[in-house]
Amino acid sequence: KIRKELNIPDIPGYKALKCDFHTHTVFSDGQVWPTIRVLEAYEEGLDAVAITDHVESRTNHKNGDLQGDHNRSYDIAKKREKSLDVLVIKGAEISRSMPPGHWNALFLENTNLLDVPKYEDAFKETAKQKAFTFWNHPGWYRHAPDTTKWLDVHTKLYNEGYMHGIEIANGAVEGYYPEAHQWALDKNLTFMGNTDIHGTTAMTYDFAKGEHRTMTIVFAKERTLEGIREALDNRRTVVWYSNLVIGRENLLKELLNQTIQVVNVKRSKKEASVTIKNNSDFTLYIKKYKHDPNLNYFREIKLRPGERKDLSIRFVEPASGKLKLDFRVENFYVSPYKGLDYFIEF
Amino acid sequence: KIRKELNIPDIPGYKALKCDFHTHTVFSDGQVWPTIRVLEAYEEGLDAVAITDHVESRTNHKNGDLQGDHNRSYDIAKKREKSLDVLVIKGAEISRSMPPGHWNALFLENTNLLDVPKYEDAFKETAKQKAFTFWNHPGWYRHAPDTTKWLDVHTKLYNEGYMHGIEIANGAVEGYYPEAHQWALDKNLTFMGNTDIHGTTAMTYDFAKGEHRTMTIVFAKERTLEGIREALDNRRTVVWYSNLVIGRENLLKELLNQTIQVVNVKRSKKEASVTIKNNSDFTLYIKKYKHDPNLNYFREIKLRPGERKDLSIRFVEPASGKLKLDFRVENFYVSPYKGLDYFIEF
Amino acid sequence: KIRKELNIPDIPGYKALKCDFHTHTVFSDGQVWPTIRVLEAYEEGLDAVAITDHVESRTNHKNGDLQGDHNRSYDIAKKREKSLDVLVIKGAEISRSMPPGHWNALFLENTNLLDVPKYEDAFKETAKQKAFTFWNHPGWYRHAPDTTKWLDVHTKLYNEGYMHGIEIANGAVEGYYPEAHQWALDKNLTFMGNTDIHGTTAMTYDFAKGEHRTMTIVFAKERTLEGIREALDNRRTVVWYSNLVIGRENLLKELLNQTIQVVNVKRSKKEASVTIKNNSDFTLYIKKYKHDPNLNYFREIKLRPGERKDLSIRFVEPASGKLKLDFRVENFYVSPYKGLDYFIEF
Amino acid sequence: KIRKELNIPDIPGYKALKCDFHTHTVFSDGQVWPTIRVLEAYEEGLDAVAITDHVESRTNHKNGDLQGDHNRSYDIAKKREKSLDVLVIKGAEISRSMPPGHWNALFLENTNLLDVPKYEDAFKETAKQKAFTFWNHPGWYRHAPDTTKWLDVHTKLYNEGYMHGIEIANGAVEGYYPEAHQWALDKNLTFMGNTDIHGTTAMTYDFAKGEHRTMTIVFAKERTLEGIREALDNRRTVVWYSNLVIGRENLLKELLNQTIQVVNVKRSKKEASVTIKNNSDFTLYIKKYKHDPNLNYFREIKLRPGERKDLSIRFVEPASGKLKLDFRVENFYVSPYKGLDYFIEF
């Protein structure tokens, strides 16, 4: 077992916890023993993983191979929590046709009680158990063949207080859901991004090539289950899916403050060299949309994880005093498809 | 020395030759001996590399470290052509301020004759030597701070027959130039994409993470210098820059025909499973924009180099006869920022 | 799913089939669904995999999680054989304390019949089913704390015709067993090397770093189950464990003939340059133990997978006629710890 | 530029500095500009690099391509020292036929003064400049076709105080020199291991596969040129070549103390599980040669960089009190081919 720490910077006041809130095991329709989920999380540098086997789609039980109740997969996984130092969260996936579609409930006490005929009763039970619930992969083509749609049932569930978060991206259903992104902004939902992994993560993500699992970065006061829950309840999350980092603007700005470091500045009256470094595992796609007309510098650059780059700036006229390099980080989405405007002062 | 073959399929009638037509060595302002350029090309699976040292910007000579004429770097590199089986092309970069900016000439006979005070005379000399010439990195911020511009001088050079091709992308100047892309379409220029490498390729591209050098894929009748020249003259090239594959629609379509393979089809009246495989080193970003309303399938998928995927298709109503899966390959640009529409019949 | 083909050359008359004859699933004490074993084999470029769940150590059944008979894991895996083109072999592991220790039986018809109180009866049943049987990890510390021992029971089983092969190396029990290697030579047993994998291969082998699973390379007349069986029966196997390639001298020599290619020879009266290439995924550790006193060349070199190297040879006295470069491939074991002597003529 | 820090633990009282004391550039017979040597060192996580161009073998000058004196390559490299935070050492290689063979001098003031007809005078000059001098690749086949030999000239140079160190391993001349290892022990010489790189390190070492350049690990009181010099003078170095870590027993033991960490111990009367972790980038090849007869545990294991492993120990008889796991780290050489005996108490 080799743990590869993920390099995601903390922000002032909060630790950046790397979490996956949506995983399956052989105890529903997955293909690995629950222990593997915790080992994968350890190796990939995660802080927490939720075991969220389907309540309904238990194909391995239907086939007569598995037996046991709905709490079993979590119980097996939980045994590895301490020695591997990966927080394990008890969850479940309520898996109905659309509407309401698939929903995850986290921080459950007894998953068996969710196994009821009507989904309305399952939701009531999640409330009784004070679970955190969110809508999974609203853009799944089986539920939304070409457009991600918000239906009346979703309004009802939202109004009744059952929708705490929503998946903006999901690893199993490829793609990013701009509609869900906008709803999360409009309705103050917690941004969620997870793997929904059924097989092994190693077969799904090519870690050697720099790929990472889809995950939710939780900004928590402390690295505990309570810390995660508090952060989820207070919407302090960012989704990391493929090259995209998606979150509320204030969080993304704080994150970028810790990510882009000005390592060195050399400056004369006619030009400057500003050395910046990417202190994270995010790749930054940077593009200039506007700029101080006196400054001549890059139009577009990419800054890979850990990469350091010397930015050359030429002054049209000799300049003194503070100067600003304006640019946009294209893949830090503050709203659907829109990057984060940022600048470096030197 | 370990050669890693690039997996770019040939198309009917033509071999896909992987070429870099823009490189530097210590004999201008580069940082490696010319031999290294051929070794790098060998290791990265290239078919051909051009040595195109600056005629004007010979900083290492000005500093008193290097001496020798303008043909020397090519001569050194050429010695490794045969044993490494990498074609080595004699070139040079005419490096003037804008306009006309920087230009490469390929297939030169004597580079020394390009070292003249007026750029107009240098161009005349390229014509005498029957060189293939193209405009380099038209989007370089030093020459085009925020917009890539076509100036009167370019019209003149174009009309006089000096502009055979244009770089749509360049590895040293990060970014893709949509304006140049459009000009190449409108004015029937050869699409060029090159590294413009000064240091080592290994420090610029992270091969282990799947990165590749910016290159021009030449569809040639034969793997010879003459074959390359004929293809350049007849505009049969495609640019591979970062995740983008940029070319004329007919070439991209031929290329995609060889890239996407239908490995297996299982079909009943109600659903089908179509297994496709990516027979190339391109990553394919596939998105559905329109579809047969009776077919329910993916909205967005990624197909990595060599990857094989089972596509699940459900029929709204039972279906028989030929069916079509429509989608767009987002990163195969047939015009600025526009992907290639494609379909699979099964 | 991305298949990475293994580069192991065929030898005259035989195909090199890459096989793993010892794997576990959740249906005994493993941690993955049987399907994963076939997917792993596909991705790693294997030709065949045997599912060999323990007959006795079925911890997941004892815990009340799994149910079903001894044939079930094979049946599940077998369904993926055709589409993934990986041959799936029905096997089982008879798991007793020492003696006789653990044994694998391959090509079974009905595994349930091996679930009998006395191991002697289990062996009789393997014979009835015409299985191929071999002794697993004879050097496991639980069975052999510091020395690998051949006990009377093993003589008996051998004499009764139950011992067809023996593991020279095993991936789960780290290490190579020189004693077993010698026994295999002395008693004409088939050389076996397997993973004995319980978790995922990706957590056990770091493929990105060039590691490979422990495997048996089978030289078969055809790529079928029958072809494999015929080759096993006729002892045509080589074990690939870590950096070691272990086999009978004639097979190793044939294999090396196909592995080391002389790409180019330049020769004058005073010196020569011989370019060799490693046409395999084996790393070759080459050392000179003796040499033509007139030839001055390397003392030790390493040739990595696919690597090409220019060997420089200086002649003490001018030489003409055929010359021989003698060396030993240290990690091609023809007997315990002894490499294979080889030479190149030029 | 992406720096990949090397994980080599400090030992009590000393920092572990990763150094390469033998490199070439285009200013002798190398193939890269001096700047590249510092950039490579930065990217590979080195603390210091010496530029040691040949005084005699200046092929690029002889060919009429390069000009300039012997200090030039160092001067160019030195300019990048501060911004990249890699210490750059002024050195040179005195390159004569055998005897005395090739020798490096470090911490020179003026390399030009070493360019004298007689090697004896060159050595005298190194002493005048208070340089640190060592014998390079004593096992190079051109100088020692089959056996590494100590000649009378070496005795003379040693007695005159010119031999401070000796290369035990060299990256360009493949192989480890057991004879030199023994001489270093017998004559109290500083252990040296270096790349002797002429091309690029990226073409020589496959970093993505976990390879590292041959290097000298210097245990210094501070990370400065003076700190390195003091450590070299006082023989506090360890050579890291391929999988071998070669040094004096006391240093290796200190290093292993910091490398192997006991993460967790679970123990009952009948068995124990000891979790260990490798806190370094060394791979540890561990083998049991003797053991407490009451303890049944592994016979051989490999511990990769950063790897964590649960060691299972069974007690033959119930045990209490402190217990010892004995083993040898095979690839930590304390004398030619002999590993370091070690134990873990729990």
Side-chain angles (χ1 to χ4, degrees):
Chain A
K1 310 184 263 301
I2 301 177
R3 181 166 171 98
K4 196 176 164 298
E5 295 293 345
L6 278 175
N7 196 8
I8 309 291
D10 295 334
I11 61 172
Y14 302 106
K15 285 179 194 306
L17 303 185
K18 287 77 71 182
C19 307
D20 187 352
F21 297 119
H22 192 167
T23 75
H24 297 278
T25 78
V26 292
F27 284 88
S28 59
D29 59 350
Q31 298 178 308
V32 305
W33 199 246
T35 316
I36 294 287
R37 292 290 170 240
V38 194
L39 287 165
E40 288 174 337
Y42 172 82
E43 293 208 331
E44 294 171 40
L46 291 205
D47 293 288
V49 65
I51 305 295
T52 59
D53 275 312
H54 297 285
V55 174
E56 291 83 3
S57 314
R58 304 181 89 198
T59 51
N60 293 338
H61 290 71
K62 274 172 215 148
N63 292 341
D65 295 315
L66 269 286
Q67 47 188 343
D69 73 10
H70 292 280
N71 295 314
R72 182 65 180 148
S73 54
Y74 165 79
D75 289 345
I76 292 172
K78 191 73 172 179
K79 283 180 194 151
R80 304 305 302 266
E81 180 177 65
K82 208 176 156 190
S83 71
L84 292 172
D85 195 23
V86 171
L87 299 166
V88 178
I89 296 165
K90 187 172 192 162
E93 183 168 19
I94 302 167
S95 316
R96 308 284 174 144
S97 57
M98 183 65 83
H102 291 193
W103 290 66
N104 265 12
L106 304 180
F107 302 103
L108 289 170
E109 283 172 12
N110 184 349
T111 310
N112 291 326
L113 304 181
L114 270 62
D115 193 357
V116 290
K118 294 177 61 183
Y119 75 81
E120 291 88 343
D121 293 332
F123 276 96
K124 278 182 198 154
E125 183 59 36
T126 65
K128 264 193 213 157
Q129 298 190 24
K130 300 194 199 311
F132 179 92
T133 50
F134 59 96
W135 184 5
N136 293 337
H137 46 69
W140 189 26
Y141 73 91
R142 293 240 175 114
H143 287 166
D146 35 33
T147 318
T148 307
K149 285 184 187 153
W150 180 280
L151 305 172
D152 288 347
V153 168
H154 300 121
T155 302
K156 190 158 177 294
L157 288 168
Y158 174 73
N159 287 339
E160 288 170 346
Y162 292 125
M163 195 189 296
H164 307 133
I166 188 166
E167 283 187 347
I168 306 298
N170 173 296
V173 178
E174 293 182 69
Y176 147 71
Y177 319 130
E179 299 87 350
H181 187 181
Q182 192 59 52
W183 299 334
L185 286 170
D186 295 346
K187 298 169 202 292
N188 196 30
L189 303 172
T190 302
F191 286 45
M192 306 297 281
N194 304 301
T195 58
D196 197 0
I197 187 83
H198 286 72
T200 69
T201 56
M203 282 190 186
T204 308
Y205 302 96
D206 193 342
F207 301 113
K209 293 249 189 306
E211 292 185 15
H212 62 91
R213 71 161 79 189
T214 302
M215 68 181 72
T216 306
I217 301 168
V218 173
F219 291 100
K221 292 181 184 162
E222 52 174 42
R223 191 182 186 276
T224 60
L225 292 174
E226 294 72 28
I228 290 172
R229 178 62 192 260
E230 187 276 339
L232 290 180
D233 286 342
N234 290 291
R235 281 65 180 132
R236 286 197 311 278
T237 64
V238 159
V239 167
W240 190 21
Y241 163 73
S242 188
N243 284 327
L244 301 178
V245 182
I246 310 164
R248 291 189 166 77
E249 188 161 357
N250 63 327
L251 283 178
L252 287 191
K253 206 155 204 169
E254 293 278 16
L255 189 54
L256 206 51
N257 286 341
Q258 307 303 321
T259 293
I260 298 185
Q261 181 194 350
V262 176
V263 171
N264 199 36
V265 176
K266 273 194 262 180
R267 193 173 148 180
S268 72
K269 284 199 176 158
K270 290 157 67 182
E271 59 182 356
S273 173
V274 176
T275 304
I276 58 172
K277 200 180 156 208
N278 177 356
N279 279 326
S280 78
D281 278 347
F282 306 127
T283 298
L284 305 179
Y285 294 86
I286 288 171
K287 197 166 178 174
K288 185 175 69 178
Y289 279 87
K290 59 172 188 181
H291 64 100
D292 178 340
N294 194 43
L295 301 184
N296 191 346
Y297 58 94
F298 69 81
R299 288 175 58 179
E300 196 169 329
I301 55 168
K302 186 170 77 167
L303 208 59
R304 293 173 296 186
E307 193 171 15
R308 174 187 157 133
K309 224 160 213 173
D310 302 320
L311 307 177
S312 161
I313 302 112
R314 302 211 169 165
F315 308 159
V316 180
E317 300 293 327
S320 58
K322 283 275 171 199
L323 295 169
K324 266 174 64 178
L325 284 188
D326 282 290
F327 55 85
R328 184 177 292 172
V329 181
E330 296 273 68
N331 61 319
F332 271 52
Y333 280 7
V334 295
S335 60
Y337 298 116
K338 189 176 169 305
L340 175 65
D341 289 315
Y342 200 77
F343 66 88
I344 290 171
E345 210 168 35
F346 68 97
Chain B
K1 305 184 267 298
I2 301 176
R3 182 165 169 98
K4 198 179 161 294
E5 294 295 344
L6 277 175
N7 196 9
I8 309 290
D10 296 334
I11 61 173
Y14 301 106
K15 286 180 193 304
L17 304 185
K18 287 77 71 182
C19 307
D20 187 353
F21 297 120
H22 192 167
T23 75
H24 298 278
T25 77
V26 293
F27 283 88
S28 59
D29 59 349
Q31 298 180 307
V32 305
W33 199 245
T35 317
I36 294 287
R37 291 289 170 243
V38 195
L39 287 166
E40 286 174 338
Y42 172 81
E43 292 207 333
E44 294 170 41
L46 291 204
D47 294 288
V49 66
I51 305 295
T52 59
D53 275 312
H54 297 285
V55 175
E56 291 83 3
S57 314
R58 304 180 89 198
T59 51
N60 294 339
H61 291 71
K62 275 172 214 147
N63 292 340
D65 295 315
L66 269 285
Q67 47 187 344
D69 74 10
H70 291 280
N71 295 313
R72 182 63 181 149
S73 54
Y74 165 78
D75 289 345
I76 292 171
K78 191 73 172 178
K79 284 180 194 150
R80 305 304 302 269
E81 181 177 63
K82 209 176 154 190
S83 70
L84 293 172
D85 194 22
V86 171
L87 299 166
V88 178
I89 296 165
K90 187 172 192 160
E93 182 168 20
I94 302 167
S95 316
R96 307 283 173 147
S97 57
M98 182 65 83
H102 291 193
W103 289 66
N104 265 11
L106 303 180
F107 302 102
L108 290 169
E109 284 172 12
N110 183 350
T111 310
N112 291 326
L113 303 180
L114 270 61
D115 192 356
V116 291
K118 293 176 62 183
Y119 74 81
E120 291 88 344
D121 293 333
F123 276 97
K124 278 182 197 154
E125 183 57 36
T126 64
K128 265 194 212 154
Q129 297 189 25
K130 301 196 199 308
F132 178 91
T133 49
F134 58 95
W135 184 6
N136 294 336
H137 45 68
W140 189 26
Y141 72 90
R142 291 240 177 116
H143 287 167
D146 35 33
T147 317
T148 307
K149 285 185 185 150
W150 179 282
L151 304 172
D152 289 347
V153 169
H154 300 121
T155 302
K156 191 160 177 293
L157 289 167
Y158 174 73
N159 287 339
E160 288 169 348
Y162 293 126
M163 196 189 294
H164 308 134
I166 188 167
E167 283 186 348
I168 307 297
N170 172 295
V173 179
E174 293 181 67
Y176 148 71
Y177 320 130
E179 300 86 351
H181 187 180
Q182 191 60 51
W183 300 332
L185 287 170
D186 294 345
K187 298 168 202 295
N188 196 28
L189 304 172
T190 303
F191 286 44
M192 307 295 281
N194 303 302
T195 59
D196 197 0
I197 187 81
H198 286 73
T200 69
T201 56
M203 282 190 186
T204 309
Y205 301 97
D206 193 341
F207 301 113
K209 294 248 188 308
E211 292 185 15
H212 60 91
R213 71 161 80 189
T214 302
M215 69 180 73
T216 305
I217 300 167
V218 173
F219 291 100
K221 291 180 185 163
E222 51 173 42
R223 192 183 184 275
T224 61
L225 291 174
E226 295 71 29
I228 290 172
R229 179 60 192 262
E230 188 275 339
L232 289 180
D233 285 343
N234 289 292
R235 281 63 182 133
R236 286 197 310 278
T237 64
V238 158
V239 168
W240 190 22
Y241 163 72
S242 187
N243 284 328
L244 301 178
V245 182
I246 310 165
R248 289 189 168 76
E249 189 161 356
N250 62 329
L251 284 177
L252 287 191
K253 206 155 201 167
E254 293 278 16
L255 189 54
L256 207 51
N257 286 341
Q258 306 303 320
T259 294
I260 297 185
Q261 181 195 351
V262 176
V263 172
N264 199 35
V265 176
K266 273 192 265 182
R267 196 174 144 179
S268 71
K269 285 200 176 157
K270 290 157 68 182
E271 60 181 356
S273 172
V274 176
T275 304
I276 58 172
K277 199 178 157 211
N278 177 356
N279 278 327
S280 78
D281 279 346
F282 305 127
T283 298
L284 305 178
Y285 293 86
I286 288 171
K287 198 166 175 172
K288 185 175 68 177
Y289 279 86
K290 59 172 188 181
H291 65 101
D292 177 340
N294 195 41
L295 301 184
N296 191 347
Y297 57 97
F298 69 80
R299 290 174 57 179
E300 196 169 330
I301 55 168
K302 187 171 77 168
L303 208 58
R304 293 173 295 186
E307 192 171 16
R308 173 187 158 130
K309 225 161 212 171
D310 302 320
L311 306 177
S312 162
I313 303 111
R314 303 212 169 165
F315 308 160
V316 180
E317 300 291 328
S320 59
K322 283 275 171 203
L323 295 169
K324 265 173 64 179
L325 283 189
D326 283 291
F327 54 85
R328 183 177 293 172
V329 180
E330 296 273 69
N331 61 320
F332 271 51
Y333 280 7
V334 295
S335 60
Y337 298 116
K338 189 177 169 305
L340 175 66
D341 288 316
Y342 199 77
F343 66 88
I344 290 171
E345 212 168 34
F346 68 97
Chain C
K1 307 184 265 298
I2 301 176
R3 180 164 170 100
K4 198 178 161 295
E5 294 294 345
L6 277 175
N7 196 7
I8 308 291
D10 295 336
I11 61 172
Y14 302 106
K15 285 180 194 305
L17 304 185
K18 287 78 70 181
C19 307
D20 186 353
F21 296 120
H22 192 166
T23 75
H24 297 279
T25 77
V26 294
F27 284 87
S28 58
D29 58 351
Q31 298 179 306
V32 305
W33 199 246
T35 316
I36 294 286
R37 291 291 170 241
V38 195
L39 287 166
E40 287 173 337
Y42 172 82
E43 292 208 332
E44 295 170 40
L46 291 205
D47 294 289
V49 65
I51 306 294
T52 59
D53 276 312
H54 297 285
V55 175
E56 292 84 2
S57 315
R58 305 180 89 197
T59 50
N60 293 338
H61 291 71
K62 274 173 215 148
N63 292 340
D65 295 315
L66 269 286
Q67 48 188 344
D69 75 9
H70 292 279
N71 294 314
R72 181 67 180 146
S73 52
Y74 165 79
D75 289 345
I76 293 172
K78 191 73 174 178
K79 283 179 194 152
R80 304 305 302 267
E81 181 177 64
K82 209 176 156 190
S83 71
L84 293 171
D85 194 24
V86 170
L87 299 165
V88 179
I89 296 165
K90 186 171 191 163
E93 183 169 20
I94 302 167
S95 316
R96 308 283 173 146
S97 56
M98 182 64 83
H102 291 192
W103 290 65
N104 265 12
L106 303 180
F107 302 102
L108 288 170
E109 285 172 11
N110 183 349
T111 310
N112 291 326
L113 304 181
L114 270 62
D115 193 356
V116 291
K118 293 176 63 183
Y119 75 81
E120 291 88 343
D121 293 332
F123 276 97
K124 278 182 198 155
E125 183 59 36
T126 65
K128 265 194 214 157
Q129 298 188 25
K130 300 195 200 308
F132 178 91
T133 49
F134 58 97
W135 183 7
N136 293 336
H137 46 67
W140 189 26
Y141 73 91
R142 292 240 176 116
H143 287 167
D146 36 32
T147 318
T148 306
K149 285 186 185 151
W150 179 281
L151 304 172
D152 288 348
V153 169
H154 300 121
T155 301
K156 190 159 177 293
L157 288 168
Y158 175 73
N159 287 339
E160 288 169 348
Y162 293 127
M163 195 188 296
H164 308 134
I166 187 167
E167 283 187 346
I168 307 297
N170 172 295
V173 179
E174 293 181 66
Y176 148 71
Y177 320 129
E179 300 87 350
H181 187 181
Q182 193 58 54
W183 299 334
L185 287 170
D186 294 346
K187 297 169 202 295
N188 195 29
L189 304 172
T190 302
F191 287 44
M192 307 297 280
N194 302 302
T195 58
D196 197 0
I197 188 80
H198 287 72
T200 69
T201 56
M203 282 189 187
T204 309
Y205 301 96
D206 193 342
F207 300 114
K209 293 248 189 307
E211 292 185 15
H212 60 90
R213 69 162 80 189
T214 302
M215 69 180 71
T216 306
I217 300 168
V218 172
F219 291 100
K221 292 181 184 162
E222 52 173 42
R223 191 183 184 277
T224 60
L225 291 175
E226 295 70 29
I228 290 171
R229 179 59 192 261
E230 187 276 339
L232 289 180
D233 285 342
N234 288 293
R235 279 65 182 133
R236 286 197 310 278
T237 64
V238 158
V239 168
W240 191 20
Y241 164 72
S242 186
N243 284 328
L244 300 178
V245 182
I246 310 165
R248 289 192 167 75
E249 188 160 357
N250 63 329
L251 283 177
L252 287 191
K253 207 155 202 168
E254 293 278 16
L255 189 55
L256 207 52
N257 286 342
Q258 307 303 321
T259 294
I260 297 185
Q261 181 194 352
V262 177
V263 171
N264 200 35
V265 176
K266 273 193 265 183
R267 194 173 146 180
S268 72
K269 285 200 174 155
K270 289 156 69 182
E271 60 182 356
S273 173
V274 176
T275 304
I276 58 171
K277 200 180 156 209
N278 176 357
N279 279 327
S280 78
D281 278 347
F282 305 128
T283 298
L284 305 179
Y285 294 86
I286 288 172
K287 198 166 176 173
K288 186 175 68 177
Y289 279 87
K290 59 172 187 181
H291 65 101
D292 177 340
N294 194 43
L295 301 183
N296 191 346
Y297 58 96
F298 70 81
R299 290 174 56 179
E300 196 168 331
I301 55 167
K302 187 171 77 168
L303 209 57
R304 292 173 295 185
E307 193 171 16
R308 172 187 158 130
K309 224 161 214 172
D310 303 319
L311 305 177
S312 162
I313 303 111
R314 303 212 169 164
F315 308 161
V316 180
E317 300 293 327
S320 59
K322 282 275 173 202
L323 294 170
K324 267 173 63 178
L325 282 189
D326 283 290
F327 55 84
R328 182 177 294 172
V329 180
E330 296 274 67
N331 61 318
F332 272 51
Y333 280 7
V334 295
S335 61
Y337 298 115
K338 189 177 169 305
L340 175 65
D341 289 315
Y342 201 76
F343 66 88
I344 291 171
E345 212 168 32
F346 68 98
Chain D
K1 309 184 264 302
I2 301 177
R3 182 165 170 99
K4 195 174 164 299
E5 295 293 345
L6 277 175
N7 196 8
I8 308 291
D10 297 334
I11 61 172
Y14 301 106
K15 284 179 194 306
L17 303 185
K18 288 76 71 181
C19 306
D20 186 352
F21 296 120
H22 192 167
T23 75
H24 296 279
T25 78
V26 292
F27 284 87
S28 59
D29 59 351
Q31 299 179 307
V32 305
W33 199 247
T35 316
I36 294 287
R37 291 290 170 242
V38 195
L39 287 166
E40 288 174 338
Y42 172 81
E43 292 208 332
E44 295 170 40
L46 290 205
D47 294 289
V49 65
I51 306 295
T52 59
D53 275 312
H54 297 285
V55 175
E56 291 83 4
S57 315
R58 304 180 89 198
T59 51
N60 293 339
H61 290 70
K62 273 173 216 149
N63 292 340
D65 294 315
L66 269 285
Q67 47 188 344
D69 74 9
H70 292 280
N71 294 314
R72 181 64 180 149
S73 54
Y74 165 79
D75 288 346
I76 292 171
K78 191 72 173 181
K79 283 180 193 149
R80 305 305 302 267
E81 181 177 63
K82 210 177 154 189
S83 71
L84 292 172
D85 195 23
V86 170
L87 299 165
V88 179
I89 296 165
K90 188 172 192 161
E93 183 168 22
I94 302 167
S95 316
R96 310 283 174 145
S97 57
M98 183 65 83
H102 291 193
W103 290 66
N104 265 12
L106 303 179
F107 302 103
L108 288 170
E109 284 172 10
N110 183 350
T111 311
N112 291 326
L113 304 181
L114 269 61
D115 193 354
V116 290
K118 295 177 59 183
Y119 75 80
E120 292 88 343
D121 293 332
F123 276 97
K124 277 182 198 154
E125 184 58 36
T126 64
K128 264 193 213 155
Q129 297 190 23
K130 300 195 198 312
F132 179 91
T133 50
F134 58 95
W135 184 7
N136 293 336
H137 46 68
W140 189 25
Y141 73 91
R142 292 240 176 115
H143 287 166
D146 36 31
T147 319
T148 307
K149 284 184 186 151
W150 179 280
L151 305 172
D152 289 347
V153 169
H154 300 120
T155 301
K156 191 159 177 295
L157 287 168
Y158 175 73
N159 287 338
E160 288 170 346
Y162 292 125
M163 195 188 296
H164 308 133
I166 188 166
E167 283 187 347
I168 306 298
N170 173 296
V173 179
E174 293 181 70
Y176 147 71
Y177 319 131
E179 301 86 349
H181 187 180
Q182 192 59 52
W183 300 334
L185 287 171
D186 294 346
K187 297 168 203 294
N188 196 30
L189 303 172
T190 303
F191 286 45
M192 306 296 282
N194 303 302
T195 58
D196 198 359
I197 187 83
H198 285 72
T200 69
T201 55
M203 282 190 187
T204 309
Y205 301 97
D206 193 342
F207 300 113
K209 293 249 188 309
E211 292 185 16
H212 61 90
R213 71 162 79 189
T214 303
M215 70 181 72
T216 306
I217 301 167
V218 173
F219 290 100
K221 292 179 183 162
E222 52 173 42
R223 192 182 185 277
T224 61
L225 292 174
E226 295 72 29
I228 290 172
R229 178 61 192 261
E230 187 275 340
L232 289 180
D233 286 342
N234 288 292
R235 280 63 181 133
R236 286 197 311 276
T237 65
V238 159
V239 168
W240 191 21
Y241 163 73
S242 187
N243 284 327
L244 300 178
V245 182
I246 311 164
R248 289 190 167 77
E249 188 161 357
N250 63 327
L251 283 177
L252 287 190
K253 206 155 202 168
E254 293 278 17
L255 190 53
L256 207 52
N257 286 341
Q258 306 303 321
T259 294
I260 298 184
Q261 181 195 351
V262 176
V263 171
N264 199 34
V265 176
K266 273 195 261 181
R267 196 174 145 179
S268 72
K269 284 199 176 158
K270 290 157 67 182
E271 61 182 355
S273 172
V274 176
T275 304
I276 59 172
K277 199 180 157 207
N278 176 358
N279 279 326
S280 79
D281 278 348
F282 305 128
T283 298
L284 306 179
Y285 294 85
I286 288 171
K287 197 166 177 173
K288 185 175 69 178
Y289 279 86
K290 59 172 188 181
H291 64 100
D292 177 339
N294 194 43
L295 302 184
N296 192 346
Y297 58 96
F298 69 81
R299 288 175 57 179
E300 197 169 330
I301 55 168
K302 186 170 79 166
L303 208 58
R304 293 174 295 185
E307 192 171 17
R308 173 186 158 133
K309 224 160 213 173
D310 302 320
L311 307 176
S312 161
I313 302 112
R314 302 212 169 165
F315 308 160
V316 180
E317 301 292 327
S320 59
K322 283 275 171 200
L323 295 169
K324 267 173 65 178
L325 284 189
D326 283 290
F327 55 84
R328 183 177 293 173
V329 180
E330 296 274 67
N331 61 320
F332 270 52
Y333 280 6
V334 295
S335 61
Y337 298 115
K338 189 177 169 305
L340 175 66
D341 289 315
Y342 199 77
F343 65 88
I344 290 170
E345 211 167 35
F346 67 98

